[in-house]
Amino acid sequence: MTLCSGASRDQAESLAGTAATARTWLLLEQPGPWGSKALTGSRLDPVLGEHLEAAAALGVRAALIRRPGRTGAGGAARRVLLAHTAPGDSWVRTASTDDPRELLDLDLAALAGGDHGGFGAAHTAGPVALVCTNGRRDRCCAVLGRPLAGELAAAGHDTWETTHIGGHRFSPTMLTLPHGYAWGRMSAGTAGHVLAELARGRTVVDGCRGRSCWQRPEQAAELAVRQFTAEADVDALEVIGTTAVDAAVGSTTAALPTPGWLVTVARRDSRRHWEVTVAEGVSLPASPASCGAAALPQSRMAVLAVRPLLAAGTR
């Protein structure tokens, strides 16, 4: 079987604007095998699994994690990681539990808004790397993800294997916390560089799929501004407005395919703004979204323009 990641790499499919969307991540250690639908098919209490699966509707994305090498006994205390990814308010909290059903008592709406309610303790040991390795969901994640997770762990990085974080065809994929940036087509060298930069409070554009706290057009817009300005500070930018535009209405949007967006990105410490024109197109030739799937045109975010703006009140 041809790996879906090979087809995506061969056609140089764009990574920008492909990250899973979630402002808050809830990660539960679950040793042993994972099913294709991990939260409800991995020996986890079914009531808890369904509860965590439904959390996505509130803005909290849940996943299962395990240390590389599949160590850990099923009866041991489980690690729980909770992370919020908004710029200027990103954090990771960690705790251990002997009974994962305690997570049923979490206030998911509050967590989605960035209020951890004193859960656990602050994680201050640098960036956390989550590498997708769920081969039951997609073959690429096992074939490419597991070796990467092992290499990062061996190099001393705080690394976990994780279940689905989106984008099989960009394997090996990695999510970094607390900032919530997703990455694709990583090697041990490129991933190590990313983690070293994040530890210094800096991020890089190469290999980045976007920051998960934003929707896909906004992810692409933020990365485009970083490329346009060479801004590396991990929390320097925020999205302050997004307007949908119609290709058939108005001369300023006549060149846009439908749908399109005007995304306003700003520096958090000044009045500098940029308006980014983003359109949704397709990547051709057609390719599979995952191993074994039919070849289809894949959605992509195309940045058409980045325009500096003068903020109101600035002379």
Side-chain angles (χ1 to χ4, degrees):
M1 178 189 295
T2 301
L3 296 179
C4 63
S5 57
S8 176
R9 188 187 296 269
D10 288 346
Q11 70 182 62
E13 184 181 358
S14 174
L15 294 171
T18 65
T21 56
R23 294 182 71 81
T24 300
W25 290 82
L26 174 57
L27 306 159
L28 170 63
E29 184 177 8
Q30 177 69 17
W34 295 332
S36 175
K37 295 189 67 175
L39 293 173
T40 55
S42 302
R43 303 179 184 176
L44 192 65
D45 177 272
V47 173
L48 175 58
E50 290 175 3
H51 179 76
L52 295 179
E53 201 169 65
L58 296 175
V60 178
R61 181 152 177 155
L64 304 181
I65 56 175
R66 64 191 176 204
R67 287 298 191 187
R70 299 193 178 188
T71 58
R78 313 283 182 84
R79 283 281 299 282
V80 180
L81 299 180
L82 188 63
H84 190 64
T85 63
D89 186 30
S90 55
W91 44 258
V92 175
R93 308 283 294 186
T94 182
S96 293
T97 180
D98 293 319
D99 183 4
R101 290 175 296 181
E102 292 175 344
L103 300 180
L104 291 169
D105 297 328
L106 290 175
D107 186 338
L108 297 176
L111 291 176
D115 179 5
H116 55 68
F119 177 88
H123 175 88
T124 58
V128 178
L130 304 164
V131 180
C132 186
T133 63
N134 189 3
R136 291 288 182 90
R137 186 70 180 255
D138 189 271
R139 186 183 177 202
C140 284
C141 298
V143 172
L144 302 175
R146 288 177 189 162
L148 175 62
E151 289 179 274
L152 291 178
H157 298 290
D158 188 357
T159 307
W160 294 88
E161 295 186 4
T162 187
T163 54
H164 187 52
I165 54 175
H168 316 295
R169 65 189 188 278
F170 306 123
S171 294
T173 59
M174 178 176 72
L175 178 74
T176 54
L177 299 176
H179 305 102
Y181 279 106
W183 310 85
R185 301 184 188 132
M186 290 282 98
S187 66
T190 57
H193 172 67
V194 163
L195 294 169
E197 286 294 282
L198 288 171
R200 298 170 55 204
R202 298 167 58 85
T203 190
V204 294
V205 173
D206 290 348
C208 193
R209 299 172 57 200
R211 190 164 185 163
S212 71
C213 61
W214 293 314
Q215 298 298 312
R216 291 184 61 204
E218 298 165 342
Q219 295 172 14
E222 189 246 13
L223 291 176
V225 171
R226 287 193 179 278
Q227 196 162 37
F228 183 79
T229 61
E231 177 58 68
D233 186 306
V234 70
D235 276 334
L237 302 178
E238 63 182 341
V239 174
I240 62 172
T242 303
T243 303
V245 293
D246 190 331
V249 178
S251 59
T252 60
T253 61
L256 272 175
T258 301
W261 300 266
L262 297 178
V263 182
T264 304
V265 179
R267 278 195 61 90
R268 297 180 58 250
D269 61 356
S270 73
R271 294 181 175 181
R272 294 182 65 194
H273 293 63
W274 297 264
E275 184 178 78
V276 185
T277 306
V278 182
E280 184 173 12
V282 295
S283 293
L284 296 173
S287 60
S290 59
C291 291
L296 297 171
Q298 301 299 329
S299 170
R300 68 182 180 92
M301 294 292 114
V303 173
L304 304 184
V306 178
R307 184 165 66 96
L309 298 178
L310 193 63
T314 303
R315 297 180 179 274

